[in-house]
Amino acid sequence: MDDCIFCKIRKGEIPSEKVYEDDKMMIIKDIDPKAKNHFLCIPKNHFKLLSQMTEDDEIQLKHCLKTIPKLEKELGLEGGYRLVINQGDNAGQSVFHLHIHILSGQKMGWTPA
Ligand code: AMP
Ligand code: ZN
């Protein structure tokens, strides 16, 4: 947790382009966008995998999923968007603090690689 980038962003120890924050989650711009419009929705609790969620983690993740649609206009998601949660090696998870990618701003194909 001490060396987790997203925990450091939460604590303000490293800068980020934060576009939304409340007591359970934050949304930042991805530093290396994979779509025209790429945000990361990050629950404040540090946990790596869906299989490791505590009850409190579940509350935060549910809150994320309920809040993202409320921010569609603010985040420019009206044309549609894709949510992605990478889990583990094969998915290429590189930050081990669970997060939801919010991809939008363009038509997207469907290629796993
Ligand atoms: P994942 O590969 O699913 O673990 O996604 C990690 C994402 O975090 C990648 O899309 C990175 O570009 C992004 N990322 C890494 N460091 C930062 C940072 N300091 N600020 C914003 N996004 C970051
Ligand atoms: Zn963390």
Side-chain angles (χ1 to χ4, degrees), residues 52-97:
Q52 297 169 348
M53 280 194 295
T54 65
E55 276 187 26
D56 194 49
D57 298 339
E58 282 181 36
I59 289 168
Q60 293 202 351
L61 185 60
K62 181 176 168 189
H63 179 71
C64 289
L65 292 172
K66 292 198 76 156
T67 303
I68 291 167
K70 292 180 184 155
L71 298 172
E72 281 174 12
K73 201 169 173 192
E74 204 172 321
L75 301 180
L77 307 177
E78 298 102 321
Y81 57 97
R82 178 173 293 169
L83 303 182
V84 173
I85 304 179
N86 288 325
Q87 296 284 274
D89 275 355
N90 277 358
Q93 185 176 8
S94 61
V95 177
F96 303 125
H97 178 135

Side-chain angles (χ1 to χ4, degrees), residues 1 4-7 46-47 96-97:
M1 271 178 239
C4 169
I5 293 169
F6 293 165
C7 284
H46 178 100
F47 62 104
F96 303 125
H97 178 135

